[in-house]
Amino acid sequence: MGLGEKLKAQLVHWLNSHNWEYSEWVYAAIVAGIFLVTAVVLHFILHSIILRAFKRSAYKSQLPWGVALHKHSLLKRIALVFQGFVLLIQARIWLPKDEEITSLVTTLAYLWIVFYLLLSLFALLNFLEDIFKSESNKRNIPVRGIFQSIKLIAAFITFIFVISILIGKSPIILFSGLGAMTAVLLLVFKDAILGFVAGIQLSANEMLALGDWLEMPKYGADGSVIDISLTTVKVRNWDNTITTIPAYALIADSFKNWRGMSESGGRRIKRAIFIDATSVKFLQPDDIVRLRRTALLSDYIEKKIAEIEAENQQAGVDLTSLVNGRRLTNLGTFRAYLIAYLRQHKSIHTSMTQIVRQLAPEPTGIPLEIYAFSKDTGWVNYEAIQSDIFDHVFAILPEFGLRVYQAPSGYDVQNIGLQTGAAQNKVIATNAP
């Protein structure tokens, strides 16, 4: 005879000895009262005293983990799991073993425990996700997709346990019968499985993290990664639109991650100006005298003139013809000026590549490309630095006798027509009798 049967027999005997009728119902009412009083007292102690005191302490200390514990109700759900175990123990103590009411209460207690264990696991994962986000060295780890995968697996396992509790069979039997359902499960959870595998690869290979600048033209994505979940990656584009990309697409297709640029501390400036080829010429003596007064060019011109004169004298060339010997050109001197200008610019990264190069001539002129890296990688500041540099470049060109190539506009054509018409009218007026 179990403990429940012994207690029931003793209580019924005591009630019968005092001439109580319907002793079975009285016993049931007493047990129900014990269950109710125990549940109310335990709930009050756990939730109104212990958890409330913890909440006050957590918000007073402002510790991130304490606030996160309360935010996701982790301790509250654990307390409810404990209350379920207390209910299960009470059912085994006070209720007879083989009666229907015992089976019902035990089943409800098991379901209560399994359900709140699942919710506790969800709360724990949410708590850990917040902790990862609050720590600067772990903020960019894409843990959300992994945690969502764990939640999905845990929910499926919990579903199997719930079915086994309701039908009174071992969960091992149900798990062994899943072989025939594998194909169906793979079809239903295809995106989740692909996303889970993709999330592991993205995390393990450090291919993508929250806050990265991602560029993926195929999906119209060009912006900052704001969320990495089990099946999707959300990107906030620079126009504040949101692009959602399947997680497995980041493994199957190529994309550009600008994180390396941000971590390097330098953002590339690569832009060319097109020089009108007809403005390229040799520097005349008065040009050299004028450009010698330029602080960034004085040393270059002195060194270059000495080098050219020594080479021309050694070769014995006739300098009366421009074709003979070496001479300074306005384009080459301008290129040297730009190199010196970039080297002393306070916003240009001096330890990274700096090149001013002449590219192959095109129908639009001679491309002169500036290749350097700004110290500030922020978009707004980067564009300001680049614009300031080219503002100066365009403004300084006439000092070297150079012109920027620019295709004729409608205004230019109109002026040509007006000038031609005015010239014709002048000729007609001159030839008139």
Side-chain angles (χ1 to χ4, degrees), residues 61 139 416:
S61 63
R139 187 174 298 163
I416 292 173

Side-chain angles (χ1 to χ4, degrees), residues 5 26 119 186 198 207 210 246 278 286 296 301 367 385 396 425:
E5 287 85 352
V26 173
L119 293 183
L186 289 176
M207 298 169 62
L210 294 175
T278 60
D286 56 338
L296 295 177
I301 290 178
I385 293 169
I396 206 70
N425 292 335

Side-chain angles (χ1 to χ4, degrees), residues 205-264:
N205 298 325
E206 297 183 354
M207 298 169 62
L208 193 67
L210 294 175
D212 284 357
W213 174 6
L214 181 143
E215 186 176 346
M216 201 170 186
K218 179 178 179 180
Y219 291 89
D222 185 14
S224 179
V225 177
I226 59 174
D227 183 50
I228 302 176
S229 65
L230 177 60
T231 57
T232 59
V233 172
K234 290 183 180 179
V235 178
R236 182 182 297 278
N237 299 315
W238 303 127
D239 58 358
N240 283 331
T241 58
I242 304 294
T243 299
T244 302
I245 306 172
Y248 57 81
L250 296 170
I251 303 298
D253 299 326
S254 63
F255 65 92
K256 183 184 290 187
N257 189 341
W258 290 79
R259 187 202 311 165
M261 177 271 295
S262 301
E263 293 177 347
S264 69

Side-chain angles (χ1 to χ4, degrees), residues 268-274 338 355-357 359 367-372 382-383 385-391 393-394:
R268 187 182 69 175
I269 297 174
K270 184 184 179 185
R271 183 183 292 180
I273 56 172
F274 289 83
L338 290 182
I355 301 175
V356 179
R357 58 177 181 168
L359 304 178
L368 192 66
E369 184 182 78
I370 292 178
Y371 189 103
Y382 161 78
E383 292 293 349
I385 293 169
Q386 184 172 233
S387 298
D388 286 343
I389 290 174
F390 280 89
D391 287 347
V393 169
F394 285 118

